[in-house]
Amino acid sequence: MRGRRRSLLASPQLIEWRQLSEVRGERPRWRAGTALLAVLGGWMLALSQGAGEPAARSELRRSLELFDPDWAEQMRAAFGRILADLGGLLPLSPEVTGLIGGVSVGVVDGLPDTTDANMLATGLAHITAVSGSNVAVLVGMVQGLLGLMHTPRLWRGVGELAGIWGFVLLVGGEVTVLRAAAMLTLVTLLRPWSGGRGVVGICVAVVILLLWEPQLAGSVAFGLSVTATAGLMLFSGPVARWLCRWMPEAIANLLAPSTAALMACQPLLLLIDGQPASGHQLAANLLALPAVPAVTVLGVLSCLTAAWAPWLAVVFAMLAAPGGWWIGQVAAHFSSHPFGAIPWPSWPAGGMASGLLLALLTVGTLIGSGHGPTSTASSSTGSRRLSIRSSVERRDDEAHRPRRRRSRRHRPRLNWRRRVRLVSFGGALLVATAAVAVTGIGHVLSASRLPVGTPILQCDVGQGDGLLVQGSGATVLIDTGESAQRITDCLRGAQVTATDVVVLTHSDVDHAGATEAVAKVAQVDTVLIPDVVDAKLDRAAGRLQARRVVRAGLGDAGSIQAVSGLDDARSSTQQTPAGAGIAWRALHPKKAAPGAAGGRPVHDPNASSLAMLIDLPDLRLLTLADLDADGQRSVARELSALGVRRIDVVKVAHHGSADHWPGLYLELRPTLGLISCGRGNSYGHPTPKLLATLQRSGTAVRRTDQHGRVAVSAEPPEVSEGTREAPRAHESARGGQRLAVWCEHGC
């Protein structure tokens, strides 16, 4: 009974560990690690042959359609209607009903954008993605039901296989579910020989799936699923034994699987987002995951009964509501109260350091530690029951075990193993300490050199756009980039805690993909977007949680003043005397015709980007978003009609793409051109053709992939020559002043 009571409070990761771990509580063998390395090598070979390209991803989607039959789609649609009706019957928010559908079968149509952003910020997005943990929970439920009915062993296996693949079809063939289904199928078929478990089972399942569909190698979700499960197998046991020294065994067993899976995923997380998981993400997972099994089981039952017994489906959904509410509350709390951000190097240095750290821990674990649960016989069911032995039980066993004298022949081997473990774990500690220390010192030195309050600051957001403009007490952010960590670092480094206006030039993720991160760092009053019909752009604007959203098109103009309602939220550096404000004028796209509702439909977001002319007290700035050559030609015509002959600074269009109109730069002759692009990007930005155009126009170039963040200000000649750290001066087209340019990595 002790093991059964413990399983009722288990997290989904703990359930999956018990389902997949090796039956014998032996030390992991070298062939398991060798098999894992062989699979990873084949995986990298598939990626090098184009498995991650867009064409391969579209082919993968066509292959997965085999696992999404019409009847399953109809059941999910009926389940969605039940959840929508439940919100009208009971005082349940769309967040609760959306989480019930997302956690159980991946139905996220009713999930609010704010909740989606909270789940992403707290590392809980995998909960609504339907993963292998959900499959393990469902298999555990099927096993329990078959055991209560005293089903013969052969039919139990048939029932488990039916439950596994029935769930795969119900959720529509998610790649993470396929991985878990393949591995659990091996466990079920090879159970008489205790096969299919552990790291070798993962490798076999991965090989089978990659042979069936090589494009899975390019799936981020599949990679995270396999990596998390491998970490689950290798590190859960050692982590649990270490935690047992500081806390009760039940709590250690609950925390260990989630911690191990999260630790193993760090190299991939660094590759995807550029930063490892933070402390608040681990805390959110540990608090939210115990509610997932109940929500999963009740949600699946509600989905299965939605079409033929709606009243019963409503009952199941009502029972799942408390769990959905709890998950939403955890996500909302830790999203607004982040902590424990680790200063870690960005990719590729951060990925290499994280991979080396994981490799050292793996070597130490494979050589000297047992892993996985041990097995004991269950007399009531006649089958094997998995339980986790604590360190206290092991010491008791060793105390009653008769001592045997070891021969001298074995002592050097034990000493050698201990030395290797010491070197591995010590090296891992040294790598982690060095990476955190060097990165932290670099952040401090960089922040101390950054001029605060400069009129123009080009943020380094990688392959994307993020431009900060300040003047007369007002603050404007133009685009957010895609990386939440990068835009957060830029705003915090500039000591910006409130923005009067956030401009989203268009809906592409490299321009509007980090809006939720901006909302956490700075309070936003107004969002300015182009006057077009774009639901994706509207959702991105909503995630900023601003007081209002304003649409602008060709001919619209105004002045941005410091909003008095943000005074309490502004930092001390932002509380400067108010002036005439920041004057702006929209140059592109064309506005909707009078009387038309909702603007013009968007077919190409780049071609519908919002281009603006911005006048600061001492500088004139032109932002071109991602306009192509035709769009830039129309901007040049508008500027000519306005009598604008020269500008100080231009935010170069589309990260330096070759698709540009040279006449714009040759006519305006900008003093400085800012190019925001990612280091080593696959697009070849900025292109030699664009750089040659800027050179012919006499424009100095500063690019984020080489210079990092770039700050620009206008100062009188006598002030700019001896101030700040090696500023670069250029003649200004407005007011006869000079531009002082500061670069993060040197100009």
Side-chain angles (χ1 to χ4, degrees):
M1 293 298 295
R2 182 181 179 186
R4 294 178 186 175
R5 286 195 302 268
R6 190 182 305 155
S7 65
L8 291 176
L9 298 177
S11 68
Q13 279 76 13
L14 181 55
I15 295 174
E16 186 175 15
W17 183 25
R18 291 174 175 174
Q19 291 282 356
L20 300 180
S21 294
E22 296 180 7
V23 174
R24 299 180 181 88
E26 297 178 349
R27 178 183 295 121
R29 300 179 182 272
W30 277 105
R31 62 171 174 264
T34 305
L36 180 60
L37 292 177
V39 169
L40 292 178
W43 201 329
M44 295 300 104
L45 180 62
L47 285 175
S48 66
Q49 295 177 351
E53 297 300 322
R57 291 197 294 268
S58 62
E59 185 176 343
L60 174 60
R61 285 193 294 270
R62 288 193 296 271
S63 300
L64 294 179
E65 289 177 358
L66 297 173
F67 297 94
D68 192 10
D70 294 337
W71 60 265
E73 188 174 349
Q74 294 171 3
M75 293 182 71
R76 294 196 301 269
F79 182 42
R81 291 192 295 271
I82 289 293
L83 294 176
D85 296 339
L86 184 63
L89 294 175
L90 296 175
L92 295 178
S93 64
E95 177 181 81
V96 176
T97 56
L99 285 173
I100 294 173
V103 171
S104 56
V105 294
V107 177
V108 294
D109 296 337
L111 194 64
D113 292 336
T114 54
T115 305
D116 190 25
N118 291 340
M119 300 289 285
L120 185 65
T122 54
L124 294 174
H126 64 92
I127 291 180
T128 56
V130 187
S131 62
S133 300
N134 299 71
V135 185
V137 169
L138 265 297
V139 170
M141 180 188 71
V142 172
Q143 289 175 342
L145 293 175
L146 295 176
L148 290 175
M149 294 186 294
H150 301 285
T151 308
R153 181 172 300 179
L154 175 62
W155 291 106
R156 285 189 190 182
V158 174
E160 291 174 14
L161 291 176
I164 292 170
W165 291 101
F167 184 71
V168 170
L169 297 176
L170 182 63
V171 301
E174 295 288 339
V175 292
T176 55
V177 176
L178 282 175
R179 189 276 310 160
M183 191 168 181
L184 285 169
T185 300
L186 290 175
V187 171
T188 303
L189 294 177
L190 302 180
R191 182 176 296 149
W193 302 276
S194 299
R197 297 179 181 271
V199 176
V200 175
I202 300 175
C203 295
V204 174
V206 170
V207 168
I208 292 174
L209 289 173
L210 290 179
L211 288 175
W212 167 71
E213 187 52 80
Q215 279 72 29
L216 282 171
S219 171
V220 173
F222 186 73
L224 286 172
S225 174
V226 175
T227 305
T229 308
L232 207 70
M233 301 297 99
L234 285 173
F235 301 120
S236 293
V239 171
R241 286 190 291 274
W242 182 78
L243 291 177
C244 279
R245 303 176 182 177
W246 317 100
M247 60 186 66
E249 176 193 355
I251 298 178
N253 291 336
L254 184 66
L255 301 183
S258 298
T259 305
L262 196 62
M263 178 177 63
C265 289
Q266 293 311 301
L268 275 179
L269 292 176
L270 280 163
L271 176 61
I272 297 168
D273 194 35
Q275 288 293 323
S278 301
H280 73 282
Q281 293 177 331
L282 179 59
N285 275 270
L286 296 178
L287 288 176
L289 289 180
V292 171
V295 177
T296 300
V297 172
L298 293 170
V300 169
L301 292 175
S302 180
C303 184
L304 293 175
T305 57
W308 56 273
W311 63 271
L312 187 57
V314 170
V315 172
F316 287 132
M318 290 173 58
L319 294 175
W325 174 85
W326 172 251
I327 295 172
Q329 293 300 308
V330 170
H333 174 77
F334 286 102
S335 176
S336 58
H337 299 85
F339 66 89
I342 302 174
W344 197 262
S346 58
W347 185 268
M352 295 174 60
S354 185
L356 179 60
L357 177 63
L358 190 62
L360 290 171
L361 292 174
T362 303
V363 170
T365 302
L366 286 172
I367 289 179
S369 300
H371 78 298
T374 61
S375 62
T376 57
S378 175
S379 58
S380 60
T381 61
S383 61
R384 302 181 72 86
R385 175 177 60 83
L386 298 179
S387 64
I388 301 175
R389 300 176 65 195
S390 67
S391 58
V392 177
E393 293 171 335
R394 289 192 183 87
R395 287 196 295 269
D396 292 342
D397 291 344
E398 293 174 359
H400 293 87
R401 186 183 304 161
R403 295 191 176 184
R404 295 179 299 176
R405 297 191 57 173
R406 293 188 177 93
S407 63
R408 293 180 178 271
R409 182 177 58 186
H410 294 289
R411 290 179 184 175
R413 185 177 181 182
L414 289 175
N415 292 335
W416 175 80
R417 286 182 177 276
R418 289 173 181 170
R419 284 197 296 269
V420 172
R421 289 201 306 272
L422 180 62
V423 171
S424 299
F425 293 140
L429 180 61
L430 181 62
V431 169
T433 303
V436 171
V438 171
T439 307
I441 293 173
H443 288 176
V444 171
L445 294 178
S446 175
S448 65
R449 296 196 309 268
L450 174 65
V452 177
T454 53
I456 300 174
L457 175 63
Q458 176 67 70
C459 298
D460 181 10
V461 296
Q463 185 66 15
D465 266 1
L467 186 67
L468 187 66
V469 180
Q470 300 182 83
S472 301
T475 302
V476 179
L477 176 65
I478 304 176
D479 288 329
T480 67
E482 183 179 2
S483 171
Q485 187 63 45
R486 286 175 177 260
I487 193 64
T488 298
D489 290 343
C490 183
L491 293 178
R492 287 177 175 170
Q495 301 181 24
V496 171
T497 55
T499 55
D500 300 280
V501 175
V502 172
V503 180
L504 299 180
T505 59
H506 60 294
S507 60
D508 282 355
V509 69
D510 60 332
H511 288 252
T515 50
E516 65 275 1
V518 173
K520 293 171 191 171
V521 177
Q523 186 175 340
V524 181
D525 180 78
T526 303
V527 180
L528 188 65
I529 60 176
D531 188 16
V532 295
V533 177
D534 190 340
K536 184 178 178 182
L537 181 61
D538 294 339
R539 290 193 296 270
R543 287 194 288 268
L544 285 166
Q545 304 175 18
R547 182 175 61 87
R548 60 174 181 161
V549 176
V550 177
R551 298 180 181 274
L554 177 62
D556 287 334
S559 177
I560 300 173
Q561 305 286 341
V563 179
S564 59
L566 297 179
D567 289 344
D568 294 337
R570 297 183 196 274
S571 64
S572 57
T573 59
Q574 291 184 270
Q575 294 174 355
T576 57
I582 300 175
W584 64 273
R585 177 177 290 273
L587 305 174
H588 191 276
K590 293 182 179 179
K591 292 192 64 175
R600 301 164 51 250
V602 169
H603 302 290
D604 181 6
N606 289 342
S608 302
S609 298
L610 179 60
M612 302 174 66
L613 179 66
I614 298 176
D615 281 330
L616 295 161
D618 298 312
L619 291 172
R620 173 165 281 175
L621 168 68
L622 175 64
T623 65
L624 296 173
D626 275 2
L627 290 181
D628 55 13
D630 292 337
Q632 295 174 40
R633 187 178 289 107
S634 66
V635 167
R637 286 196 299 267
E638 294 299 327
L639 291 174
S640 178
L642 293 171
V644 177
R645 297 292 179 262
R646 290 201 64 180
I647 58 173
D648 295 319
V649 182
V650 60
K651 202 292 296 179
V652 176
H654 205 173
H655 323 293
S657 169
D659 187 12
H660 72 285
W661 189 57
L664 174 65
Y665 300 98
L666 295 175
E667 291 176 6
L668 296 175
R669 291 176 295 149
T671 306
L672 179 66
L674 298 176
I675 302 177
S676 181
C677 57
R679 181 180 302 175
N681 65 84
S682 59
Y683 305 97
H685 294 161
T687 60
K689 182 179 179 181
L690 181 278
L691 294 176
T693 298
L694 293 176
Q695 184 178 11
R696 290 201 308 271
S697 66
T699 302
V701 176
R702 296 295 178 264
R703 37 194 285 192
T704 57
D705 62 334
Q706 294 181 353
H707 304 109
R709 284 175 283 184
V710 181
V712 183
S713 62
E715 297 179 352
E718 65 273 15
V719 177
S720 63
E721 290 178 358
T723 60
R724 292 203 180 97
E725 190 178 47
R728 302 287 179 163
H730 306 281
E731 292 297 329
S732 172
R734 268 185 115 234
Q737 297 169 335
R738 297 166 66 88
L739 297 184
V741 183
W742 174 93
C743 302
E744 182 180 8
H745 303 316
C747 292

